[in-house]
Amino acid sequence: MAPTLTLKTGTSWPDAWRRCLAVAPEAFRDDRVLNLWNGAWQEDGRVLPAVSPVDGSPIAGPPRLDGTTAHRAVCAALDQHRAWRHVPLEERRARVAATLDALAEHRGLLALLLVWEIGKPWRLAQADVDRAIDGVRWYVDGIEPMLDGRTPLDGPVSNIASWNYPMSVLVHAVLVQALAGNAVIAKTPTDGGVACLTLACALAAREGIPVTLVSGSGGELSQALVRAPEIGCVSFVGGRDTGAAVATAVADLGKRHVLEQEGLNTWGIWNHSDWDTLTAVIPKLFDYGKQRCTAYPRFVVQRHLFDAFLAAYLPAVRTLRVGHPLAVEHPDDPYPELDFGPVINAAKAKELRDQVAEAIERGAVPLHRATPDGARFLPGQDTSAYVQPVTLLNPPSSSPLHHAEPFGPVDTIVLVDTEAELLAAMNASNGALVATLSTDDRATYDRLAPHIRAFKVGHGTPRSRGDRDELFGGLGASWRGAFVGGDLLVRAVTRGPEGERLPGNFPEYQLLP
């Protein structure tokens, strides 16, 4: 009989909220967070109710601004930008470094907020915070040559990012953009992360970083955050539908932009025999329930290797640990070791279940469907945002699972017989951020990899967004605008020599680094 679980001591949402009020009272009010603009915390915006994906309990919701107020915030950010761009680099560096020290001091609280707001297991929540801190420190230590001959943009950088990596993607980008001499604007993701971002921005604002943090619907704020002439650059991370609208706007305006969009990242299996290595990596591919832009939800498998692939894949996927990220047997036990907790909300969980059911109804073959029997939950807790791992063979072409990233713990497998079929299946989404090809023969990999439309292609190993000097981008419809990572991130948000062509994917040209 499974033991009855309880919440780890000191990790409840009320515990986390009290700590936020103590650490940054200027940014938190009783039961709400504030917007940050014009250099001050503003008690404006219509607060929407929100619940944690972990157990459906109430948490802080975003204080959504209207378009008019958002434009006032952008105008104020331009004033900040005009002053900040003249601040000497050594002072900017000192302020960013002090911000990193403050983030490190409150690492545990930032991670705990990520657990409650977006459902990250403790290990991954800490990693998100650490990657932000360590990644920006790399820029602080080596920024001079990256800025040689370059100047800040004419206006602030507007950041619109998805909810899944508030620290290692959004806060990381904001601090590097500020280090490069720009004022920065961040929009709180609609689906989660508002308290974590509020705390991080409060710590940055205390050190004099010119940061603006606002909440609101993308449609209502796009005129201010994307189209406003005051904006010097738009940095977007999200889905293709929203990204296409942003891409159209910035193209029409000729505005500097970085648009990271989704793609169906694929893992190909061709003339392969190292099954032990594949078995070892499968659980890692389910980190955070595959709610990552670099997740691998599609395997493209050579038909005559399908039995060997299943023998390697199924035992691994059956080891996955799912449950409440803070549920322990005894209150003072260590945090549980989980591969993932909930997806971002109950609506997304229902969408995934419906897509799986529809795909099976139309001919997909279920190869693995885990049950919640072994999952770690508190007695009587709401589990509506949890999805157990599913693997389907040959999703029908009419299913979204055939051509789009599910953004959840759902794997699909497609069988192929020829190299041409392999490449076509691996390029099903017209561009991706990452891909991998497992094949024993290096010459085969070298011949096929250039035809896989992904920015990064691994040989038998997964690829990731990367940190520090590792570049990042996408091919096809998965990316628009300048590539980032390493010195490219700094180049994307600064001006260089007249006529400079940035590496990236632009309407008029594509330039690989």
Side-chain angles (χ1 to χ4, degrees), residues 194-210:
V194 61
C196 178
L197 286 169
T198 299
L199 178 58
C201 289
L203 298 174
R206 283 181 182 177
E207 302 301 336
I209 304 296

Side-chain angles (χ1 to χ4, degrees), residues 171-197:
V171 171
H172 176 280
V174 161
L175 292 178
V176 175
Q177 293 159 6
L179 180 64
N182 303 287
V184 288
I185 303 168
K187 176 187 171 297
T188 301
T190 303
D191 287 322
V194 61
C196 178
L197 286 169

Side-chain angles (χ1 to χ4, degrees), residues 92-123:
R92 299 200 307 263
R93 174 156 47 191
R95 293 187 185 188
V96 172
T99 300
L100 297 178
D101 291 341
L103 294 174
E105 180 183 352
H106 299 290
R107 169 184 183 250
L109 177 54
L110 291 163
L112 184 58
L113 293 171
L114 291 179
V115 173
W116 280 110
E117 294 193 283
I118 61 173
K120 283 202 170 183
W122 181 251
R123 170 179 60 87

